[in-house]
Amino acid sequence: GLGMWLRLRHLGELGLIADEGIQALAVRGILEHGTPNVDSGQVYSRGLAFLYAEAAAAKLFGLNEFSLRLPAVLFGVAGILAAYALGTAVFNWRIGLLTAVLMACSTWEIELSRYARFYTAFQCLYLLSLLCFYRGFLKGHRAAKAWFVVAAIATFSMHELGVLLATCFLIPLFSSAYSRRHKWV
């Protein structure tokens, strides 16, 4: 609740800044042509799924600052929930709660969630990927392994840094909790 309120409060009152203008042009292209064409004639494809989420919000609320930023807010709030779930899974509910409170109230996280760019979507998907990796590969839940692949692909499609999720597979190599055979697999 608090995290959502802090992110939504006066969301549309500040004009677009920096790269938010590029997002607005790409979203306008989606609304007019179905593809994120910008004025130069080029197709802007960074964070493509996020651009379409912004276009859906713009279809509902009009092409304005609020609608362009709303998907980032929603992903920012979902990121709080993902951080809680990851903290709880790896440690305990207290750590999960502390992590969620820190993310909900962090000035940095709030600002990032109020920026009409795909960074909070990337962060949320990255956290979900880590959670699925932990449950799937470290705890042995078969379905979570498949969800890790889906979440990792979605993360990578949002930003190239998603490739860093591959480093998760190094974790068992350095842990004494796994046999040599398990590490090889």
Side-chain angles (χ1 to χ4, degrees), residues 37 118 141 166:
N37 298 341
F118 50 85
H141 299 283

Side-chain angles (χ1 to χ4, degrees), residues 22-24 26-27 30 36 44-56:
I22 295 169
Q23 295 287 123
V27 169
I30 291 170
Y44 184 77
S45 61
R46 288 195 74 200
L48 200 55
F50 186 77
L51 285 171
Y52 281 92
E54 286 179 311

Side-chain angles (χ1 to χ4, degrees), residues 123-141:
Q123 180 184 48
C124 177
L125 291 169
Y126 201 95
L127 289 169
L128 286 173
S129 296
L130 291 176
L131 178 63
C132 291
F133 178 85
Y134 178 77
R135 288 184 176 161
F137 292 96
L138 300 181
K139 291 296 183 183
H141 299 283

